Amino acid sequence: MERTKMELLPNFKLHRPKDLSSALKLKSNEPHSRYLAGGTDLVVNIRRGIEQPKNLIDLTSIEEVQEIEETKSGLAIGSGVTLNRVRDSAVVKKLYPAVADAAKAIAGPTHQQYGTVGGNICLDTRCLFYNQSEWWRKSNDYCLKERGEICHVAPGGKRCFAAFSGDLSPALLVHGAKVEIFGKNGAQEMDLKNIYKNDGLDHLNLQEGEFVTRVILPKSTANQKSRYKKSRIRGSIDFPLAGTAVRISLDKKKTISELSIALTAVNPYPQIVSGLEELMGKKIGKVELNMVQEMVQKQAKPMRTTTVSPWYRRRVVGSISKKLLNELYSELRKAN
């Protein structure tokens, strides 16, 4: 009987503000409130008893967050734009292909009609011991992220290792994306990488009431070869066990002039791979591909947050990175 009760949504009040300022005011005035975009993750967590907000602030009626717009500096994508629009956008596919890849890889086609850019960027971190029903978590003792005092992933540690599993963020990161944040001081821009913290319990660097309104992709990384790929248990629906985005460009000598790689699902935050400057001015061969694979595997630090072992996810993310780099480099060489 208890299990059946926890599968029902609790009572809450739904608000539908029409503009950014009204949304912020509601968040300030309403206790125990949460912003709601597509709801494909938050509503599931509410049903499982993980989240129990008394107020939901639905952002889907705010026109300012619904547009994909080409600007002088690049491309702006509203946080309320649904994933299927990003997936099918001709301008996104042409200018920032990894972003379209990532949108297409998220969950399934039905979810993509409701899930949003902002929701996937701000996706809560996930863990085998956290994303369960109330009766399961209560029976197995609550964890550090939810009413408990211990991280079951690393019992000897004092921090949460739940993994960030959004697909869009690594694709946006390799293209040098910024985000526009709206809060009590108005709208402000910051690098996308700076909104994340290496903490599964508190992974977003946003102040109380702030929310993402737009993603801004710079013109400087447009029209470059990029791709996103992930490993998951099933061919659709599942969150990534490990995911990689790669962007690359070559100079006239067919050597690397720009290279960026970002990872997801192997840390509490989407991670930009460091050390790639060693490959600038070089052609890619077996030695360089193996070097990249080793770099990725050393920097990826998955924990026991899924049913799949950490060592497997580490090896997989290295292999995906190596494969994507090889594919993109080969395509560029043939095209030039």
Side-chain angles (χ1 to χ4, degrees), residues 63-69 76-81 85 214:
E63 292 185 6
E64 294 101 310
V65 300
Q66 302 294 338
E67 299 300 323
I68 299 177
E69 179 185 9
I77 304 176
S79 61
V81 173
R85 288 179 60 196
R214 294 197 305 171

Side-chain angles (χ1 to χ4, degrees), residues 150-161:
I150 187 172
C151 175
H152 297 301
V153 170
K158 296 183 178 180
R159 46 185 292 256
C160 173
F161 290 94

Side-chain angles (χ1 to χ4, degrees), residues 30-323:
E30 297 293 346
H32 308 293
S33 60
R34 288 292 306 273
Y35 289 126
L36 175 71
T40 54
D41 190 57
L42 178 59
V43 172
V44 174
N45 283 347
I46 293 174
R47 172 165 284 178
R48 286 176 172 168
I50 296 171
E51 301 271 4
Q52 297 186 37
K54 294 182 179 179
N55 295 273
L56 288 179
I57 303 169
D58 184 355
L59 304 176
T60 57
S61 296
I62 301 176
E63 292 185 6
E64 294 101 310
V65 300
Q66 302 294 338
E67 299 300 323
I68 299 177
E69 179 185 9
E70 289 190 75
T71 67
K72 292 181 179 180
S73 58
L75 185 71
I77 304 176
S79 61
V81 173
T82 55
L83 300 170
N84 64 323
R85 288 179 60 196
V86 177
R87 176 197 69 197
D88 298 335
S89 168
V91 66
V92 175
K93 288 191 283 188
K94 177 184 177 182
L95 300 180
Y96 309 96
V99 178
D101 284 351
K104 186 177 181 179
I106 296 169
T110 304
H111 302 88
Q112 292 164 16
Q113 293 182 49
Y114 295 94
T116 64
V117 170
N120 198 256
I121 289 173
C122 297
L123 191 69
D124 193 15
T125 52
R126 304 186 66 78
C127 179
L128 177 66
F129 298 93
Y130 172 71
N131 294 93
Q132 302 287 349
S133 62
E134 170 67 14
W135 68 267
W136 189 97
R137 286 178 290 116
K138 183 178 181 180
S139 300
N140 291 276
D141 198 2
Y142 295 106
C143 70
L144 190 63
K145 188 172 170 67
E146 172 64 16
R147 284 178 276 175
E149 297 179 356
I150 187 172
C151 175
H152 297 301
V153 170
K158 296 183 178 180
R159 46 185 292 256
C160 173
F161 290 94
F164 177 82
S165 300
D167 292 283
L168 277 182
S169 292
L172 294 167
L173 285 171
V174 296
H175 278 287
K178 293 181 178 291
V179 285
E180 183 181 86
I181 307 295
F182 188 81
K184 62 181 181 180
N185 296 319
Q188 301 180 59
E189 285 188 15
M190 64 189 298
D191 290 339
L192 173 61
K193 64 181 181 181
N194 291 336
I195 75 166
Y196 297 108
K197 297 187 287 186
N198 187 15
D199 183 350
L201 183 61
D202 182 24
H203 76 296
L204 292 177
N205 187 26
L206 296 176
Q207 301 302 312
E208 180 62 32
E210 289 184 337
F211 58 99
V212 175
T213 55
R214 294 197 305 171
V215 178
I216 303 156
L217 289 155
K219 189 169 287 186
S220 59
T221 62
N223 284 306
Q224 294 184 12
K225 279 281 186 181
S226 68
R227 197 163 293 161
Y228 172 77
K229 187 176 179 63
K230 72 178 179 181
S231 171
R232 53 185 167 184
I233 295 175
R234 296 175 289 184
S236 64
I237 301 177
D238 288 343
F239 286 93
L241 298 172
T244 299
V246 178
R247 175 180 61 86
I248 183 175
S249 63
L250 304 182
D251 57 24
K252 294 180 180 179
K253 297 179 181 179
K254 296 187 178 181
T255 62
I256 295 178
S257 58
E258 290 187 48
L259 176 62
S260 182
I261 299 176
L263 315 176
T264 190
V266 290
N267 266 312
Y269 64 104
Q271 177 183 8
I272 299 174
V273 176
S274 61
L276 296 175
E277 59 274 5
E278 295 180 36
L279 295 171
M280 296 303 104
K282 293 184 178 180
K283 294 183 178 181
I284 294 293
K286 289 184 179 180
V287 172
E288 288 74 22
L289 289 171
N290 289 335
M291 182 188 303
V292 167
Q293 183 178 22
E294 185 176 347
M295 279 183 188
V296 169
Q297 290 179 173
K298 283 184 177 180
Q299 294 177 43
K301 300 186 184 300
M303 300 289 283
R304 191 167 56 95
T305 54
T306 75
T307 56
V308 177
S309 62
W311 68 264
Y312 175 82
R313 290 158 63 201
R314 187 180 295 111
R315 292 184 65 179
V316 163
V317 79
S319 296
I320 294 174
S321 301
K322 177 181 178 180
K323 183 178 180 180

Side-chain angles (χ1 to χ4, degrees), residues 20-28 35 182-184 209-211:
L20 302 176
S21 297
S22 297
L24 182 63
K25 184 177 180 180
L26 279 166
K27 189 70 171 66
S28 301
Y35 289 126
F182 188 81
K184 62 181 181 180
E210 289 184 337
F211 58 99

